[in-house]
Amino acid sequence: MKPPIEPYDHGMLDVGDGNLVYWEVCGNPGGKPVVVVHGGPGSGCTTGARRAFDPERFRIVLFDQRNCGRSRPHAADPATDLSANTTHHLIADMELLREHLGIDKWLMYGGSWGSTLILAYAETHPERVSEIVIPSVTMTRRSEIDWLYRGVGRFFPEAWDRFRRGVPEADRDGDLVAAYARLLSDPDPKVREKAAVDWVTWEDAVISLEANGTPNAYSDRPGDAVMAMTRICAHYFSHAAWLEEDVLLRNADRLAGIPGVLIHGRQDMGSPLRTAWELAQAWPDAELVVIDDSGHTGSDTFRKALIEARARFAD
């Protein structure tokens, strides 16, 4: 990780639908363009993400996806309408930003939800992607969502029971994610706050076995950030990210000719390794690097592999 740096340019991009997307650029204006795609969905970009790439060699583009981070309106406000916040809207936003910055092709970097968005963008606009580096691969399939919010509960029965009991009794044997989406849009702030806490408490439980990871990675955020992230997560996952099941895998042939590195922890309970393995089988130009001592939130070995992958594409 490089020393802290500040952006040399930033702004608010009007993407339509009443939305302004915050963006910033760091590093070398003449360097190789790279776009950092944050996870969540709804987590926003952090200042630490600026430091992922060598600022002397890269032109580092970061942005906050719709309704989170410094983008406006913010999802923590219950009056913010999320109906114009879908995967397809975000792909269009990224294209608009690329054009606004005068970039022909960019290296794409991001993990977890960010990897789903990267794959969806790259399969739509492969001619605009030079390389891809993904830590912690997801494709946000209904099967993956069902695993994360129900299936993995077999390893954390107490925590999952608390998560399940966080929704009304009539919803407990149905779609828990959709039930949480309704609670997180409730007009009563106490209902919304409890749902947000229950959600991130479950997410923290799923990563709790990661000896080399980051404890409480989801709950250790400011209140507005937690509210926005949980609301956007529930919004996206209750709609399976508006993606047909397995569509990113079926269309992986569109990534032909784009070099990629997929880095995944074998101990990742929330996003099991099989997803990354399936993608690597369908995308011949991608290398899968499995990190045995890492889960979803990384380890020293994981971070070293990321540094090596990013450096590989510096030229």
Side-chain angles (χ1 to χ4, degrees):
M1 190 73 78
K2 303 295 179 181
I5 56 174
E6 293 296 322
Y8 66 80
D9 196 10
H10 69 279
M12 299 290 280
L13 184 66
D14 187 340
V15 295
D17 308 306
N19 280 281
L20 297 174
V21 166
Y22 174 83
W23 60 269
E24 62 183 38
V25 189
C26 308
N28 181 354
K32 179 171 183 171
V34 54
V35 61
V36 178
V37 184
H38 68 68
S43 69
C45 252
T46 65
T47 57
R50 299 170 180 167
R51 302 160 57 195
F53 288 84
D54 185 340
E56 296 183 1
R57 305 176 76 178
F58 287 94
R59 181 184 179 193
I60 309 159
V61 179
L62 304 96
F63 71 102
D64 291 326
Q65 294 160 31
R66 290 192 181 201
N67 308 127
C68 70
R70 291 147 291 187
S71 294
R72 292 295 180 268
H74 201 265
D77 181 350
T80 296
D81 180 8
L82 298 183
S83 63
N85 189 340
T86 70
T87 303
H88 308 293
H89 285 99
L90 299 187
I91 292 170
D93 294 351
M94 292 165 70
E95 262 301 88
L96 197 62
L97 178 58
R98 183 192 61 77
E99 292 171 355
H100 176 73
L101 296 175
I103 293 171
D104 181 48
K105 284 188 175 186
W106 47 15
L107 186 162
M108 305 196 77
Y109 173 76
S112 197
W113 156 254
S115 64
T116 295
L117 183 52
I118 284 172
L119 293 168
Y121 174 94
E123 291 179 5
T124 305
H125 302 287
E127 72 284 358
R128 298 304 179 187
V129 182
S130 57
E131 301 92 6
I132 295 173
V133 177
I134 294 176
S136 303
V137 180
T138 73
M139 289 187 279
T140 316
R141 296 175 287 186
R142 289 189 183 278
S143 57
E144 294 174 52
I145 296 164
D146 184 67
W147 170 260
L148 179 56
Y149 297 103
R150 185 176 296 275
V152 75
R154 68 193 66 180
F155 295 100
F156 308 98
E158 309 95 332
W160 187 76
D161 187 60
R162 287 193 298 271
F163 179 68
R164 178 174 172 269
R165 290 178 181 277
V167 305
E169 187 172 356
D171 294 324
R172 290 174 187 168
D173 294 322
D175 188 338
L176 294 179
V177 174
Y180 269 97
R182 290 190 289 273
L183 293 174
L184 287 160
S185 296
D186 194 277
D188 186 339
K190 292 183 178 178
V191 172
R192 295 196 304 273
E193 289 164 12
K194 181 182 184 301
V197 169
D198 287 344
W199 183 286
V200 292
T201 299
W202 167 246
E203 297 272 14
D204 281 348
V206 174
I207 61 171
S208 62
L209 297 182
E210 298 183 12
N212 299 311
T214 306
N216 305 320
Y218 298 98
S219 58
D220 280 353
R221 301 166 186 253
D224 278 0
V226 166
M227 182 59 69
M229 184 187 72
T230 53
R231 190 176 171 213
I232 294 173
C233 277
H235 171 63
Y236 268 74
F237 296 159
S238 62
H239 292 92
W242 298 270
L243 296 170
E244 293 179 19
E245 189 75 352
D246 280 323
V247 68
L248 298 180
L249 202 58
R250 291 199 309 271
N251 291 339
D253 61 311
R254 297 180 184 177
L255 304 174
I258 301 174
V261 181
L262 313 174
I263 302 172
H264 206 96
R266 192 177 296 279
Q267 300 174 26
D268 193 331
M269 296 289 286
S271 302
L273 176 60
R274 182 172 181 85
T275 294
W277 183 84
E278 288 175 334
L279 179 60
Q281 304 310 300
W283 177 11
D285 296 288
E287 175 191 354
L288 174 60
V289 180
V290 179
I291 309 298
D292 288 332
D293 74 345
S294 175
H296 196 70
T297 64
S299 67
D300 287 344
T301 313
F302 192 98
R303 286 182 281 276
K304 182 180 178 184
L306 273 180
I307 291 169
E308 293 173 353
R310 293 187 298 245
R312 183 189 310 183
F313 297 136
D315 299 319

